[in-house]
Amino acid sequence: MPKNTSAAAHLRRLLELLAAGAPAEDFGAVATEARRSGAGADDLAEIEQATQAALRVHSALRQHQRREAELTALFDTAGDLAALRDLDAVLRSIVRRARMLLGTDTAYLTLPDEEAGDTFMRVTDGSVSVLFQNLRLQLGEGLGGLVAQTARPYATPDYRTDERFHHTHSIDAGVLDEGLVAILGVPLLLGSGSGGKVIGALFAADRTPRTFSPDEVALLCSLANHAAIAIDTAKAMTDARVALAELAEANAVIRERSAAMQRAEESHDRLSDLVLRGGDVADVAAAVADLLRGDVTVFDAGGWPLTETARGADPAGGSAAHDATGDDGGGGPAQTGAAAAVVRAAEDSRATAHAVLHDGRWVCAALAGQEMLGSLVLSGRPDLDGPDRRLFERSSVVTSLLLLLRRSVAETENRVRGDLVTDLLTAPDRDPAGLVARGRNLGVDLNRPHLVLVASTEADVRERLAGAAVQYLFGTGSVSAEHAGTVMLVPAGGAAPGGAARAAAEQLTHLVGAPVTVAGAGPAAGPRALADAHAEAARCVQALHVLGRRGAGGSAGELGFLGVLLGKDHDVEGFVTATLGPLLEYDERRGTQLVRTLAAYFGCGGSLTRAKEELHVHINTVVQRLDRIQAILGPGWNSPEHALELQLALRLRLLSLS
């Protein structure tokens, strides 16, 4: 082969190796092949020079390729930052690329924990040690602590033997557990120069000794800069989201308060207009119920309802009146317990000067200074918020004004009506027509049937009774007045005198705070009949005291033979029927002689022997008849009190038959 042809072939071979990207060792084989083929010295020198040039070109190409890969990674990282959605995902991507580009066994990123005052592992890639992944470093400890303290990159070919770093047992244990030897760490810097702030560190590490080149340090610094930007951007976005959320919340609060102010203004106008138009407590309750979309009831200071339950436009719960008064609706035990509960809740409201939630209902005291006038109870709105709660509390002020006004008017009217009652009781026959006319002027028709109640209590609390009577009759259009150490009440309604007396005794006792005894009579119509009914009720009150029934209520008709003596009409037939009726009915139905046997038994002083002679029957027959009487009248028929009533009824019956 000609000389120039041989040299040209080898040179062409070097170009082919460059084009194919062959490894560096393949280039040396070309000179060896030329020497073996017998190339001359000049050709060999030329081929060796060409080989060196080819190796330089090869190295430059490899460096360009590596730089291209690094730039591509940096561009990809920048793209991730531009589309930042998840900070953790971006940081994981940066750590993974650092490990890939530097060809290390592992890479990791640490961030400061401001509360704990140290740094922690935020992201790791290629790590296999749980101990290493949970390492925490104080400022200045280990390679990472030095990077954070000095804001400069540091690299070590063998961390375990490098004395430049402050070794600690926990850090060395974690590095040993991970098996790391060579470590490169660079700071995550925000800003530049002396004003830069270290917000973390990025690391690449090998499990074998290795010296990191300046290019590798520069590459890791570039990735760290991207990580710092990502963290700062994420923080800015988080702050922006928080600010937007706070702004939205502030706008919502402003809108809510604006709506609340508008609603409060409308509510104030509505309640004010209602009062100016002469509205009553019930009208206020209805307006508040409509405004708050619940059920509202107004109670007096004793916990008794002054209004029916006013229902709102969209009530969410049951009736307040039903909840507060129970099912009996007649002032019985259920109402008493519920009234006490309302009073306790109202006292809590007075103590706190705000509405209180009690058993699922809102209660607000209606006060005149510190005096309890009553309370408002709202049910169906357990979730009452601030503006609505303030509206409910303001409505209690309006209610207080109306209650105070009503009480003042009632006290004035009651004084005038009291004069009428006094004249009625002291001189009912002096001017009956004039008394009736005066009553009509006061809204009381004396010619219409009325019940008459007489209330009495202990002398030391007697001054409270008149006020309690006014409060008890408050808003009913009824009359009360003091007379002869007692209080006369003429209530509206058609209840029986005994039931009305018991209801009044219960509530007046509660209002006075001491036992109040009440007797009822009537109904009666006209001045003389009303005066007679008062006299009967007064006698009945005295009888209740004598019988030891202080604090009770009743009527003459419920006192047995005492009622016959105390009552105006002396209803003998009614007393006999009430006392002996079951025996008379049994005798008539069965043809027996139980009434005759009972009369003989009492007439013989309770002697069975004398009674059987009187009746001309066997003594066993007397015993059997008395057993039947006990079965009909009850086991207490022979008690002294009951026996006295039976004997009186037998004698009165005998008189009526004669």
Side-chain angles (χ1 to χ4, degrees):
M1 180 182 302
K3 171 183 177 182
N4 57 353
T5 303
S6 175
H10 290 298
L11 293 175
R12 188 168 52 252
R13 176 58 179 164
L14 290 173
L15 292 175
E16 291 173 351
L17 291 174
L18 284 173
E25 55 269 20
D26 289 351
F27 289 85
V30 174
T32 302
E33 179 63 26
R35 192 177 295 108
R36 194 168 39 244
S37 63
D42 293 339
D43 288 340
L44 285 175
E46 185 178 353
I47 292 172
E48 288 176 356
Q49 291 175 1
T51 299
Q52 294 300 320
L55 287 172
R56 289 194 298 271
V57 173
H58 179 271
S59 176
L61 289 174
R62 293 294 299 271
Q63 187 174 1
H64 287 312
Q65 290 173 351
R66 183 171 65 252
R67 187 59 178 168
E68 182 181 357
E70 294 172 357
L71 291 174
T72 300
L74 293 176
F75 286 141
D76 291 343
T77 302
D80 291 342
L81 290 177
L84 177 64
R85 293 294 182 271
D86 183 357
L87 176 61
D88 286 338
V90 174
L91 295 181
R92 283 194 298 269
S93 175
I94 290 173
V95 171
R96 188 178 306 112
R97 285 170 183 150
R99 179 188 175 200
M100 176 187 68
L101 292 174
L102 271 67
T104 55
D105 296 323
T106 183
Y108 52 96
L109 183 145
T110 61
L111 292 179
D113 186 336
E114 295 181 359
E115 292 185 2
D118 58 9
T119 59
F120 66 98
M121 294 285 185
R122 175 64 182 271
V123 181
T124 64
D125 190 74
S127 173
V128 295
S129 169
V130 176
L131 178 62
F132 180 77
Q133 294 166 9
N134 290 280
L135 269 182
R136 301 188 76 93
L137 294 80
Q138 298 292 333
L139 190 67
E141 292 181 353
L143 185 147
L146 190 59
V147 169
Q149 186 178 46
T150 63
R152 294 176 56 188
Y154 278 88
T156 176
D158 190 348
Y159 177 81
R160 292 170 293 184
T161 61
D162 198 328
E163 298 299 329
R164 292 178 299 163
F165 314 116
H166 175 59
H167 291 264
T168 66
H169 173 72
S170 60
I171 297 175
D172 288 352
V175 171
L176 180 62
D177 194 55
E178 186 65 57
L180 299 182
V181 177
I183 304 176
L184 167 62
V186 298
L188 275 63
L189 283 171
L190 283 180
S192 60
S194 59
K197 178 183 178 182
V198 179
I199 62 170
L202 180 62
F203 301 87
D206 261 341
R207 296 187 176 92
T208 57
R210 170 177 175 175
T211 300
F212 292 96
S213 68
D215 289 341
E216 292 173 325
V217 175
L219 173 61
L220 197 61
C221 285
S222 296
L223 290 172
N225 290 336
H226 283 296
I229 294 172
I231 294 171
D232 187 54
T233 302
K235 183 178 182 302
M237 292 179 65
T238 300
D239 292 343
R241 284 194 293 268
V242 171
L244 287 173
E246 291 176 349
L247 182 60
E249 183 178 354
N251 286 333
V253 171
I254 292 172
R255 287 195 299 271
E256 180 182 351
R257 290 186 177 179
S258 176
M261 290 178 62
Q262 182 178 358
R263 187 176 178 189
E265 183 179 354
E266 293 173 353
S267 303
H268 180 270
D269 292 343
R270 181 171 175 180
L271 293 177
S272 300
D273 181 65
L274 188 151
V275 173
L276 293 175
R277 287 188 291 103
D280 201 354
V281 174
D283 299 321
V284 172
V288 175
D290 186 52
L291 289 168
L292 297 180
R293 301 178 303 280
D295 295 345
V296 176
T297 307
V298 180
F299 292 84
D300 65 13
W304 302 90
L306 294 176
T307 66
E308 296 292 333
T309 300
R311 298 184 182 278
D314 183 24
S319 167
H322 176 82
D323 293 341
T325 61
D327 293 330
D328 60 357
Q335 191 178 40
T336 302
V342 171
V343 172
R344 287 194 299 272
E347 289 293 342
D348 292 341
S349 173
R350 174 165 64 177
T352 61
H354 291 288
V356 297
L357 184 63
H358 181 78
D359 291 338
R361 300 191 304 269
W362 286 96
V363 180
C364 190
L367 304 173
Q370 284 301 309
E371 181 186 359
M372 179 78 72
L373 299 179
S375 59
L376 272 74
V377 175
L378 170 67
S379 63
R381 286 293 307 277
D383 58 340
L384 199 66
D385 57 11
D388 282 353
R389 193 180 310 173
R390 287 190 291 273
L391 169 59
F392 181 53
E393 292 169 350
R394 281 194 293 269
S395 67
S396 72
V397 177
V398 177
T399 303
S400 299
L401 293 174
L402 289 177
L403 289 175
L404 197 60
L405 177 62
R406 283 182 55 179
R407 189 175 70 176
S408 299
V409 172
E411 289 174 349
T412 302
E413 291 180 348
N414 206 62
R415 282 194 296 271
V416 178
R417 289 174 177 175
D419 295 338
L420 172 64
V421 170
T422 300
D423 292 343
L424 175 68
L425 297 181
T426 56
D429 299 322
R430 181 187 305 166
D431 184 11
L435 291 174
V436 171
R438 287 168 59 188
R440 285 173 179 166
N441 290 334
L442 296 175
V444 180
D445 186 358
L446 297 181
N447 286 329
R448 184 171 60 86
H450 291 280
L451 292 181
V452 175
L453 304 180
V454 174
S456 174
T457 187
E458 304 297 333
D460 57 343
V461 293
R462 190 172 295 161
E463 69 276 3
R464 304 182 200 165
L465 183 56
V470 173
Q471 188 173 350
Y472 171 58
L473 298 177
F474 185 47
T476 63
S478 303
V479 180
S480 68
E482 294 183 82
H483 183 74
T486 62
V487 173
M488 174 185 177
L489 300 89
V490 184
R502 281 186 290 276
E506 182 179 11
Q507 296 189 43
L508 290 174
T509 295
H510 177 75
L511 293 171
V512 172
V516 176
T517 308
V518 182
R528 167 49 61 186
L530 288 171
D532 292 341
H534 174 269
E536 179 181 325
R539 292 192 298 269
C540 186
V541 163
Q542 294 177 349
L544 290 173
H545 286 168
V546 171
L547 294 174
R549 295 174 59 183
R550 294 182 183 275
S555 65
E558 298 173 341
L559 296 181
F561 75 93
L562 285 178
V564 175
L565 300 176
L566 299 174
K568 171 180 176 296
D569 297 328
H570 304 295
D571 185 9
V572 174
E573 183 179 353
F575 171 69
V576 171
T577 301
T579 306
L580 297 177
L583 298 181
L584 293 170
E585 182 182 352
Y586 189 89
D587 283 345
E588 183 179 356
R589 190 171 64 252
R590 301 291 183 91
T592 56
Q593 299 185 28
L594 297 183
V595 174
R596 181 167 176 260
T597 300
L598 186 63
Y601 175 73
F602 284 132
C604 296
S607 170
L608 296 177
T609 302
R610 292 172 55 192
K612 66 104 175 174
E613 294 175 353
E614 175 77 16
L615 296 170
H616 304 290
V617 295
H618 194 274
I619 192 171
N620 290 340
T621 302
V622 177
V623 172
Q624 291 172 0
R625 290 178 180 178
L626 292 178
D627 288 342
R628 176 58 59 186
I629 290 172
Q630 177 171 314
I632 295 173
L633 299 181
W637 72 275
N638 206 14
S639 64
E641 180 180 352
H642 200 175
L644 178 61
E645 290 188 357
L646 289 171
Q647 292 181 64
L648 179 59
L650 289 169
R651 290 181 180 273
L652 292 174
R653 179 174 179 273
L654 182 62
L655 288 174
S656 66
L657 295 176
S658 61

